[in-house]
Amino acid sequence: MSNQKLSDLRTAHPAAPLDGSELIEFTQAGQSVAGVVGDLVGAPLGINSQLGTAYTLVRADAGADVVCNNAAAITLTIPADADVAFPIGTVVHYSQAGTGVVTAVGAAGVTVRAANGASTTARYDQRDLVKKAANVWWVL
């Protein structure tokens, strides 16, 4: 981070809160990112409840928990960048609320790397998807 003053950052990022929260700016992969510490660390997950047996991620799922609840197996599809351009570094959490196992799969052209499997193993199990590169996701 450069030695910019907080006032300079606030001028450059007028949407930042003025409530005493700490505004930070950093560079990752050549792209400048600014945000409030409370927004970037420890923010609560949004919940997206899904009751069907198939669901394809949407942009709003970034940083959220996709809670899948069905007695049958559930396929969670990660769309190609051409369809939904999640930024590199995006994390999507998914969890199994019902008895149906949830399996993350990539749409055509999407690589899913999962050392410990892309499927949940039991009710209340959960996994994280992390976008590592264009059309490449890891399951943690």
Side-chain angles (χ1 to χ4, degrees):
M1 180 173 162
S2 64
N3 290 327
Q4 291 181 315
K5 295 178 186 174
L6 182 59
S7 60
D8 294 338
L9 287 174
R10 289 218 170 132
T11 300
H13 306 285
L18 299 174
D19 62 0
S21 300
E22 185 180 353
L23 180 68
I24 63 169
E25 184 173 36
F26 61 95
T27 301
Q28 180 178 5
Q31 185 174 23
S32 178
V33 178
V36 176
V37 171
D39 292 342
L40 300 175
V41 179
L45 294 175
I47 302 292
N48 177 356
S49 297
Q50 293 297 316
L51 301 175
T53 58
Y55 178 71
T56 299
L57 296 176
V58 297
R59 183 67 175 90
D61 291 322
D65 184 4
V66 179
V67 179
C68 301
N69 191 350
N70 200 301
I74 301 149
T75 301
L76 184 71
T77 302
I78 304 164
D81 282 357
D83 296 319
V84 180
F86 288 103
I88 293 171
T90 296
V91 176
V92 177
H93 189 78
Y94 64 99
S95 44
Q96 177 184 332
T99 55
V101 170
V102 183
T103 302
V105 299
V110 176
T111 300
V112 177
R113 296 190 173 132
N116 297 310
S119 298
T120 55
T121 58
R123 193 171 193 189
Y124 310 120
D125 193 8
Q126 54 196 4
R127 299 280 189 274
D128 287 314
L129 294 168
V130 181
K131 185 172 182 181
K132 295 291 190 170
N135 290 311
V136 177
W137 292 75
W138 288 12
V139 180
L140 308 176

